[in-house]
Amino acid sequence: QNMGTAASRPSAEAVLERAFSTSEARLLARNFGVVAAISPHTQGRFTLHDMLSLHSCMPPALGHAAFNIVLSSCESECAAEGEVDYDALIHALGRARDCLRTPGFDPLAVLQAAAATKVRTPGWEEALGSVLEMVRSEPLRWLREASEESGYPKEMAWLADTEAAAAVLQSGVPSPKDTALLRAAATVLCSALEAMWLIDLRLLARMPELADGAVSHLLEPEAVRRLNGALPPRYRERWRLLYSSGRDGLSYSRLVKLCVGRAPCIVALRESGGRVLGGFSSHPLALSPKFYGDFSCFVFSLSGASAAPRIFRASGDNHNFVYMNAQKEQLPNGIAFGGQLDSRFFGLWLRADMESGRSDADSATYHNEQLAASAEFGIESVEVWAVAEDPPPPEWEQEGEGGVRSKQHAEAAAFAQLAGIGSNYADQAAPPVEDDGEE
């Protein structure tokens, strides 16, 4: 089985008729249209960025490997630009399905395509080794989550063999000389590639419930829908407005009090150039001298009211996902996504003065474009939306037996309140920030 191009090959329609059912063929055509429409600059084609923008939980390394497999099937000139057309996608998926259906298939072609290398070229063993190590850990977790939470069709070919292939992978470290382990790795990769495309991608971008009738004054409904689809599946049900500068004032201390320690959230702001920028924090906002978060974090920008958000996902180059701090002399103050603390170089930085911000192009964390119209910008308004429920208060704060709010401690609590030291869980989540003007 050759995952690359050939001098003469059947049409995409012939591949669809041979390898896929009529309903699957319709779904693939529709999904290609969804992804190809993301970027206005690549008509009839899509890029790695476009493909990953609709798969929020996919590890970056897995996404790169899957895209390389598709790109290896591209015969048109757009391949040199890192763009894939419909013909290449269908041929890559057809070959992936053939591999899943053929017990004795040659796995090396699949793995070479995923590693973007060829046998006996300089560095090929190292590149192949990186792909093999990634396949051992990342795809199966994503496949399971995709199957359970995103509604992948149960009749898909990969479901039957992927668990068995994963078990083989765990039995040893794959090497270019171990055919059984190579075949297991290729099976998992082909399964992931097929799973990416045989779900209705429109289902990954549904509108969440906006709690308590809240309305965003920064994000149009279509932008909310698109951003919601970019979130991990468990966060796509309900958004809650934690902070709004229109309601709460353009105050960093107020933002800290209302948002720190609450829930994973989307931070959005309108800058003076008219764009809406923001980022998703997979962890509740927290005042910390270090970055936190995980690979589901992203930054985004919208250049117009009707524009789809440009989403820049974690690249995998570092773990500098989200940062937040206040009232520090030696560290940046405010909220930042991606970049470096020492150099004050950030994919997005909302300064603690709530008057200005900065976006630097191509942070290593997100490989983002400059999100704002200019690197330095003024801030007009800010919103923070929680995409999950708040964690429960610690056990000692609860009303049950033994907690400080239980009946047995009622008298002590009343006395403490009179003394001005009453317990307040929400207040304890965020220490007071008195000076909004500090950077």
Side-chain angles (χ1 to χ4, degrees), residues 198-232:
L198 284 176
I199 180 178
D200 190 342
L201 293 181
R202 298 174 302 177
L203 300 178
L204 298 180
R206 61 179 182 271
M207 191 71 179
E209 173 195 353
L210 301 185
D212 302 321
V215 175
S216 176
H217 297 287
L218 298 180
L219 302 170
E220 296 292 328
E222 179 62 16
V224 170
R225 186 181 69 83
R226 295 266 188 159
L227 290 173
N228 192 60
L231 298 173

Side-chain angles (χ1 to χ4, degrees), residues 105-427:
F105 74 92
D106 177 11
L108 202 54
V110 178
L111 297 169
Q112 286 178 188
T117 187
K118 294 182 179 179
V119 173
R120 290 182 291 278
T121 57
W124 80 273
E125 288 188 342
E126 181 179 354
L128 188 60
S130 297
V131 169
L132 292 173
E133 185 59 34
M134 178 273 294
V135 172
R136 291 188 73 212
S137 58
E138 297 188 351
L140 187 62
R141 177 189 60 79
W142 177 79
L143 280 166
R144 285 169 176 161
E145 183 169 331
S147 175
E148 293 171 2
E149 300 191 49
S150 299
Y152 282 85
K154 300 303 180 185
E155 66 272 13
M156 283 173 53
W158 61 263
L159 283 172
D161 302 319
T162 304
E163 293 284 352
V168 173
L169 282 175
Q170 297 307 312
S171 67
V173 178
S175 73
K177 298 180 180 180
D178 192 324
T179 303
L181 289 176
L182 289 179
R183 187 170 292 126
T187 296
V188 174
L189 268 179
C190 289
S191 298
L193 178 61
E194 185 170 298
M196 290 176 66
W197 290 96
L198 284 176
I199 180 178
D200 190 342
L201 293 181
R202 298 174 302 177
L203 300 178
L204 298 180
R206 61 179 182 271
M207 191 71 179
E209 173 195 353
L210 301 185
D212 302 321
V215 175
S216 176
H217 297 287
L218 298 180
L219 302 170
E220 296 292 328
E222 179 62 16
V224 170
R225 186 181 69 83
R226 295 266 188 159
L227 290 173
N228 192 60
L231 298 173
R234 61 188 178 278
Y235 297 146
R236 296 176 188 169
E237 300 299 326
R238 187 170 180 264
W239 289 22
R240 296 178 295 123
L241 185 61
L242 299 183
Y243 168 84
S244 167
S245 58
R247 180 191 67 190
D248 305 305
L250 202 56
S251 163
Y252 189 63
S253 62
R254 187 69 176 157
L255 186 154
V256 168
K257 182 178 180 64
L258 292 174
C259 300
V260 164
R262 298 291 297 276
C265 61
I266 286 178
V267 179
L269 65 91
R270 177 177 288 115
E271 50 100 0
S272 52
R275 295 188 185 182
V276 174
L277 328 171
F280 165 62
S281 174
S282 61
H283 290 46
L285 293 178
L287 300 177
S288 171
K290 299 180 180 180
F291 284 92
Y292 49 89
D294 62 33
F295 286 109
S296 66
C297 295
F298 60 80
V299 293
F300 67 89
S301 68
L302 295 101
S303 58
S306 60
R310 289 279 290 165
I311 296 173
F312 300 89
R313 297 193 173 281
S315 65
D317 288 353
N318 61 39
H319 294 75
N320 298 350
F321 304 113
V322 185
Y323 168 86
M324 185 182 193
N325 222 330
Q327 296 184 324
K328 302 299 179 184
E329 295 183 359
Q330 303 300 322
L331 291 170
N333 292 307
I335 302 173
F337 290 83
Q340 300 292 332
L341 298 180
D342 293 341
S343 61
R344 268 57 168 181
F345 184 97
F346 300 110
L348 176 61
W349 182 16
L350 167 61
R351 293 189 176 99
D353 61 10
M354 296 288 277
E355 295 179 356
S356 63
R358 182 175 180 86
S359 175
D360 293 297
D362 200 18
S363 71
T365 311
Y366 298 109
H367 288 320
N368 56 283
E369 300 171 355
Q370 181 179 289
L371 303 178
S374 59
E376 288 283 339
F377 54 83
I379 294 172
E380 295 183 352
S381 53
V382 181
E383 293 177 352
V384 180
W385 291 85
V387 296
E389 298 303 312
D390 293 352
E395 186 175 345
W396 56 268
E397 273 278 329
Q398 298 178 12
E399 297 182 359
E401 183 177 353
V404 297
R405 295 185 180 179
S406 64
K407 291 182 179 180
Q408 70 187 80
H409 291 294
E411 183 176 346
F415 178 81
Q417 189 172 12
L418 288 173
I421 55 174
S423 174
N424 187 311
Y425 172 69
D427 289 346

